[in-house]
Amino acid sequence: MKFVGEKIRIVVMMVAVCVCAVPAWGQGCAMCNANARSTPKEGQQALNRAVLVLLIPPVGFMLVGVGLAFRYGRRRDRDSE
């Protein structure tokens, strides 16, 4: 029964995070959106590419951090045995 309660808690937490994130959807600036839509197709593609380029460093840092945390955890577990 403990496993079922844990699943329910996880689902409730995920729903809470999704509901709290709803106001963030309104953060899209109307002027920025209109400006981006009025540019030619090449400009829109350049903006999409720029967003992806700006997204790569933070995702890379997060992956490295998570990888190091798992590596440290495995090493700590191996040393404690």
Side-chain angles (χ1 to χ4, degrees):
M1 281 309 261
K2 185 178 179 183
F3 184 69
V4 173
E6 191 173 317
K7 274 188 165 181
I8 291 173
R9 187 174 1 157
I10 290 172
V11 169
V12 168
M13 287 172 50
M14 289 180 68
V15 168
V17 167
C18 289
V19 168
C20 291
V22 169
W25 294 343
Q27 296 295 321
C29 170
M31 282 181 54
C32 297
N33 190 8
N35 190 13
R37 287 181 190 256
S38 67
T39 59
K41 272 291 192 214
E42 296 83 23
Q44 291 177 5
Q45 290 173 346
L47 285 172
N48 286 337
R49 203 170 307 121
V51 168
L52 289 176
V53 166
L54 290 173
L55 186 67
I56 290 171
V59 171
F61 285 129
M62 289 298 294
L63 288 174
V64 168
V66 169
L68 290 174
F70 275 108
R71 187 171 138 193
Y72 171 75
R74 271 191 248 127
R75 184 181 300 155
R76 185 191 61 206
D77 291 344
R78 224 180 314 130
D79 291 344
S80 67
E81 289 177 355

Tab-separated table of all heavy atoms in Angstrom, residues 32-56:
chain	number	residue	atom	x	y	z
A	32	CYS	N	6.471	41.300	-29.019
A	32	CYS	CA	7.500	40.389	-29.531
A	32	CYS	C	6.877	39.359	-30.462
A	32	CYS	O	7.430	39.037	-31.523
A	32	CYS	CB	8.205	39.677	-28.381
A	32	CYS	SG	9.086	40.786	-27.287
A	33	ASN	N	5.725	38.846	-30.056
A	33	ASN	CA	5.034	37.845	-30.867
A	33	ASN	C	4.628	38.442	-32.207
A	33	ASN	O	4.840	37.832	-33.266
A	33	ASN	CB	3.823	37.320	-30.103
A	33	ASN	CG	3.196	36.129	-30.762
A	33	ASN	OD1	3.719	35.577	-31.721
A	33	ASN	ND2	2.048	35.715	-30.258
A	34	ALA	N	4.041	39.627	-32.188
A	34	ALA	CA	3.611	40.265	-33.434
A	34	ALA	C	4.816	40.581	-34.320
A	34	ALA	O	4.762	40.398	-35.546
A	34	ALA	CB	2.837	41.542	-33.124
A	35	ASN	N	5.897	41.037	-33.715
A	35	ASN	CA	7.099	41.358	-34.473
A	35	ASN	C	7.680	40.099	-35.123
A	35	ASN	O	8.098	40.123	-36.281
A	35	ASN	CB	8.122	42.020	-33.553
A	35	ASN	CG	9.282	42.596	-34.310
A	35	ASN	OD1	9.236	42.732	-35.526
A	35	ASN	ND2	10.328	42.925	-33.587
A	36	ALA	N	7.727	39.008	-34.375
A	36	ALA	CA	8.291	37.765	-34.918
A	36	ALA	C	7.413	37.221	-36.040
A	36	ALA	O	7.922	36.707	-37.040
A	36	ALA	CB	8.425	36.732	-33.811
A	37	ARG	N	6.098	37.353	-35.888
A	37	ARG	CA	5.199	36.843	-36.937
A	37	ARG	C	5.243	37.688	-38.209
A	37	ARG	O	4.931	37.187	-39.279
A	37	ARG	CB	3.771	36.769	-36.414
A	37	ARG	CG	3.563	35.643	-35.447
A	37	ARG	CD	2.128	35.600	-34.984
A	37	ARG	NE	1.974	34.667	-33.893
A	37	ARG	CZ	1.429	33.475	-34.017
A	37	ARG	NH1	0.976	33.079	-35.174
A	37	ARG	NH2	1.321	32.677	-32.979
A	38	SER	N	5.608	38.963	-38.073
A	38	SER	CA	5.619	39.825	-39.249
A	38	SER	C	6.917	39.710	-40.048
A	38	SER	O	7.000	40.256	-41.136
A	38	SER	CB	5.390	41.280	-38.833
A	38	SER	OG	6.490	41.745	-38.080
A	39	THR	N	7.900	39.009	-39.516
A	39	THR	CA	9.161	38.843	-40.243
A	39	THR	C	8.995	37.777	-41.320
A	39	THR	O	8.125	36.911	-41.232
A	39	THR	CB	10.311	38.439	-39.298
A	39	THR	OG1	9.965	37.214	-38.657
A	39	THR	CG2	10.585	39.503	-38.271
A	40	PRO	N	9.838	37.813	-42.340
A	40	PRO	CA	9.765	36.767	-43.371
A	40	PRO	C	10.128	35.401	-42.791
A	40	PRO	O	10.634	35.287	-41.682
A	40	PRO	CB	10.810	37.196	-44.409
A	40	PRO	CG	11.291	38.533	-44.007
A	40	PRO	CD	10.814	38.826	-42.637
A	41	LYS	N	9.868	34.354	-43.572
A	41	LYS	CA	10.130	32.984	-43.135
A	41	LYS	C	11.578	32.796	-42.699
A	41	LYS	O	11.857	32.108	-41.721
A	41	LYS	CB	9.816	31.982	-44.258
A	41	LYS	CG	8.400	31.506	-44.285
A	41	LYS	CD	8.138	30.625	-43.084
A	41	LYS	CE	6.811	29.916	-43.282
A	41	LYS	NZ	6.109	29.720	-42.038
A	42	GLU	N	12.518	33.393	-43.433
A	42	GLU	CA	13.931	33.239	-43.081
A	42	GLU	C	14.218	33.839	-41.706
A	42	GLU	O	14.981	33.288	-40.924
A	42	GLU	CB	14.835	33.897	-44.134
A	42	GLU	CG	14.764	33.265	-45.505
A	42	GLU	CD	13.577	33.768	-46.319
A	42	GLU	OE1	13.069	34.878	-46.040
A	42	GLU	OE2	13.149	33.034	-47.220
A	43	GLY	N	13.598	34.974	-41.414
A	43	GLY	CA	13.770	35.610	-40.113
A	43	GLY	C	13.193	34.768	-38.992
A	43	GLY	O	13.775	34.669	-37.909
A	44	GLN	N	12.035	34.156	-39.245
A	44	GLN	CA	11.429	33.287	-38.235
A	44	GLN	C	12.307	32.071	-37.973
A	44	GLN	O	12.483	31.654	-36.827
A	44	GLN	CB	10.031	32.854	-38.686
A	44	GLN	CG	9.034	33.987	-38.699
A	44	GLN	CD	7.677	33.540	-39.220
A	44	GLN	OE1	7.449	32.366	-39.496
A	44	GLN	NE2	6.761	34.489	-39.345
A	45	GLN	N	12.879	31.517	-39.042
A	45	GLN	CA	13.770	30.373	-38.870
A	45	GLN	C	15.022	30.776	-38.094
A	45	GLN	O	15.521	30.013	-37.257
A	45	GLN	CB	14.141	29.777	-40.220
A	45	GLN	CG	12.992	29.069	-40.903
A	45	GLN	CD	13.327	28.621	-42.318
A	45	GLN	OE1	14.325	29.047	-42.886
A	45	GLN	NE2	12.470	27.777	-42.877
A	46	ALA	N	15.529	31.980	-38.370
A	46	ALA	CA	16.702	32.467	-37.646
A	46	ALA	C	16.382	32.650	-36.167
A	46	ALA	O	17.207	32.324	-35.297
A	46	ALA	CB	17.190	33.772	-38.254
A	47	LEU	N	15.189	33.163	-35.850
A	47	LEU	CA	14.797	33.317	-34.447
A	47	LEU	C	14.681	31.960	-33.763
A	47	LEU	O	15.122	31.790	-32.618
A	47	LEU	CB	13.472	34.069	-34.350
A	47	LEU	CG	13.532	35.569	-34.594
A	47	LEU	CD1	12.130	36.154	-34.656
A	47	LEU	CD2	14.336	36.239	-33.508
A	48	ASN	N	14.080	30.991	-34.452
A	48	ASN	CA	13.961	29.647	-33.877
A	48	ASN	C	15.348	29.050	-33.620
A	48	ASN	O	15.592	28.439	-32.579
A	48	ASN	CB	13.162	28.725	-34.797
A	48	ASN	CG	11.690	29.043	-34.774
A	48	ASN	OD1	11.188	29.618	-33.814
A	48	ASN	ND2	10.997	28.671	-35.827
A	49	ARG	N	16.252	29.226	-34.566
A	49	ARG	CA	17.618	28.713	-34.412
A	49	ARG	C	18.320	29.419	-33.248
A	49	ARG	O	19.040	28.795	-32.469
A	49	ARG	CB	18.390	28.911	-35.713
A	49	ARG	CG	19.544	27.980	-35.882
A	49	ARG	CD	20.154	28.019	-37.268
A	49	ARG	NE	19.173	27.806	-38.333
A	49	ARG	CZ	18.923	28.675	-39.314
A	49	ARG	NH1	19.579	29.809	-39.393
A	49	ARG	NH2	18.012	28.407	-40.236
A	50	ALA	N	18.105	30.715	-33.125
A	50	ALA	CA	18.735	31.473	-32.036
A	50	ALA	C	18.240	30.992	-30.675
A	50	ALA	O	19.020	30.877	-29.722
A	50	ALA	CB	18.448	32.962	-32.208
A	51	VAL	N	16.955	30.698	-30.581
A	51	VAL	CA	16.411	30.189	-29.317
A	51	VAL	C	17.062	28.852	-28.981
A	51	VAL	O	17.444	28.604	-27.830
A	51	VAL	CB	14.872	30.060	-29.392
A	51	VAL	CG1	14.332	29.270	-28.221
A	51	VAL	CG2	14.233	31.437	-29.452
A	52	LEU	N	17.213	27.994	-29.955
A	52	LEU	CA	17.847	26.701	-29.707
A	52	LEU	C	19.313	26.867	-29.305
A	52	LEU	O	19.796	26.192	-28.389
A	52	LEU	CB	17.733	25.802	-30.941
A	52	LEU	CG	16.337	25.278	-31.248
A	52	LEU	CD1	16.339	24.487	-32.544
A	52	LEU	CD2	15.827	24.429	-30.109
A	53	VAL	N	20.012	27.786	-29.958
A	53	VAL	CA	21.418	28.020	-29.614
A	53	VAL	C	21.524	28.546	-28.182
A	53	VAL	O	22.417	28.156	-27.429
A	53	VAL	CB	22.065	28.995	-30.620
A	53	VAL	CG1	23.398	29.516	-30.122
A	53	VAL	CG2	22.234	28.312	-31.963
A	54	LEU	N	20.615	29.421	-27.772
A	54	LEU	CA	20.642	29.946	-26.411
A	54	LEU	C	20.214	28.899	-25.384
A	54	LEU	O	20.521	29.036	-24.193
A	54	LEU	CB	19.747	31.179	-26.297
A	54	LEU	CG	20.251	32.419	-27.015
A	54	LEU	CD1	19.195	33.517	-26.978
A	54	LEU	CD2	21.532	32.913	-26.378
A	55	LEU	N	19.527	27.875	-25.811
A	55	LEU	CA	19.067	26.832	-24.896
A	55	LEU	C	20.142	25.782	-24.628
A	55	LEU	O	20.148	25.159	-23.570
A	55	LEU	CB	17.823	26.155	-25.494
A	55	LEU	CG	17.105	25.137	-24.643
A	55	LEU	CD1	16.478	25.832	-23.445
A	55	LEU	CD2	16.018	24.450	-25.459
A	56	ILE	N	21.083	25.622	-25.540
A	56	ILE	CA	22.082	24.558	-25.421
A	56	ILE	C	22.970	24.706	-24.175
A	56	ILE	O	23.146	23.725	-23.442
A	56	ILE	CB	22.918	24.466	-26.711
A	56	ILE	CG1	22.049	23.910	-27.834
A	56	ILE	CG2	24.152	23.606	-26.526
A	56	ILE	CD1	22.693	23.962	-29.203
